[in-house]
């Protein structure tokens, strides 16, 4: 029985790679100099290269369940998302390491946090996960501050997905090297919400205090970070 995955690898090497061989070899010779750190959800329907029209060497990507940013100091309040006053170290985080490497070593000029519609992580943050999934349960607590105290219907889920993106932008600002670079106008932060069914990214506009479809947005990012203000005037977090 043919191994379809093996056939795909062969197809890439034989048919796709020749067309990009020089580009890849230049990237080996000169090293990588990506300007964008892309923090995206692991969801298979989110395609960073396709969305941004990027090729080899352009995006430094880290993906995880929900597109979350762990706290810089590795500590979260309480247990399982509760706020009981205790602080708990939550272990190693590849995403935190990637942020530090991208800013300090690669010196990226943009950081994108990209959530999306119909995100299973956000739904699971409301509905819970299997007891055995201890890591997933702890990880989802990184969205707990974005959850709304209502039944999670489609509109609530959509709004929570967007609130979660802004929450991660705020957490990014707790990384001293990110804050320093943002204050020095060397890095811009971009909060994106990919609406799968419409084929459009909505970008967070700090002046509008809302996510705006890319087709009508004036820019792709937030510029200098300011607190997110909801339509009802409530400042998020
Ligand atoms: Zn997701």
């Amino acid at each position: 029985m043919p191994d379809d995955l093996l056939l795909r690898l062969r197809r890439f090497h034989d048919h796709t790679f020749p067309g990009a061989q020089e580009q890849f070899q230049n990237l080996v010779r000169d090293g990588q100099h990506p300007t964008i750190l892309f923090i995206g959800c692991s969801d298979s329907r989110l395609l960073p290269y396709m969305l941004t029209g990027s090729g080899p060497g352009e995006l430094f990507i880290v993906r995880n369940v929900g597109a979350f940013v762990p706290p810089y100091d590795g500590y979260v309040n309480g247990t399982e998302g509760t706020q009981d006053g205790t602080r708990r170290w939550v272990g190693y985080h590849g995403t935190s390491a990637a942020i530090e490497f991208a800013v300090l070593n690669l010196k990226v000029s943009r950081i994108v946090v990209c959530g999306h519609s119909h995100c299973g992580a956000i739904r699971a943050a409301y509905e819970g996960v299997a007891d055995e999934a201890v890591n997933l349960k702890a990880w989802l607590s990184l969205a707990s501050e974005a959850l709304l105290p209502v039944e999670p219907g489609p509109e609530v889920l959509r709004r929570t997905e967007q609130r979660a993106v802004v929450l991660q932008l705020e957490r990014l600002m707790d990384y001293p090297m990110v804050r320093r670079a943002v204050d020095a106008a060397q890095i811009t932060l971009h909060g994106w919400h990919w609406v799968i069914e419409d084929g459009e990214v909505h970008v967070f506009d700090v002046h509008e205090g809302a996510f705006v479809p890319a087709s009508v947005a004036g820019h792709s990012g937030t510029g200098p970070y300011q607190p997110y203000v909801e339509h009802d005037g409530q400042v998020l977090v």
Side-chain angles (χ1 to χ4, degrees), residues 15-110:
H15 299 288
T16 309
F17 182 67
Q21 185 168 0
E22 193 179 343
Q23 195 176 9
F24 277 108
Q25 290 177 345
N26 287 344
L27 284 165
V28 170
R29 189 190 62 222
D30 303 331
Q32 64 160 342
H33 301 284
T35 58
I36 300 173
L37 165 61
F38 189 99
I39 302 171
C41 184
S42 299
D43 193 289
S44 62
R45 299 161 296 182
L46 170 59
L47 301 146
Y49 285 102
M50 193 183 278
L51 285 181
T52 60
S54 299
E58 293 191 67
L59 301 177
F60 189 73
I61 297 181
V62 58
R63 302 182 68 164
N64 61 52
V65 174
F68 298 155
V69 171
Y72 171 68
D73 65 4
Y75 283 84
V76 294
N77 292 323
T79 54
E80 295 176 12
T82 61
Q83 305 277 332
D84 63 7
T86 60
R87 283 169 63 69
R88 184 169 61 97
W89 193 67
V90 289
Y92 300 109
H93 280 305
T95 299
S96 306
I99 291 165
E100 293 174 1
F101 183 75
V103 174
L104 294 173
N105 295 66
L106 297 174
K107 302 193 187 309
V108 296
S109 55
R110 301 171 186 265

Side-chain angles (χ1 to χ4, degrees), residues 155-214:
E155 194 50 45
V156 169
L157 289 170
R158 176 80 39 118
R159 201 164 158 209
T160 306
E161 288 158 3
Q162 297 183 340
R163 285 166 59 91
V165 168
V166 180
L167 180 63
Q168 312 314 316
L169 292 179
E170 178 158 287
R171 242 184 236 129
L172 269 176
M173 290 295 285
D174 289 337
Y175 285 65
M177 68 291 295
V178 173
R179 176 172 287 277
R180 213 162 51 230
V182 169
D183 288 346
Q186 292 165 342
I187 282 184
T188 52
L189 303 184
H190 304 251
W192 292 1
H193 183 252
W194 156 236
V195 182
I196 301 168
E197 59 272 39
D198 295 341
E200 185 160 39
V201 169
H202 293 220
V203 303
F204 179 62
D205 185 314
V206 74
H207 299 297
E208 302 229 1
F211 282 78
V212 181

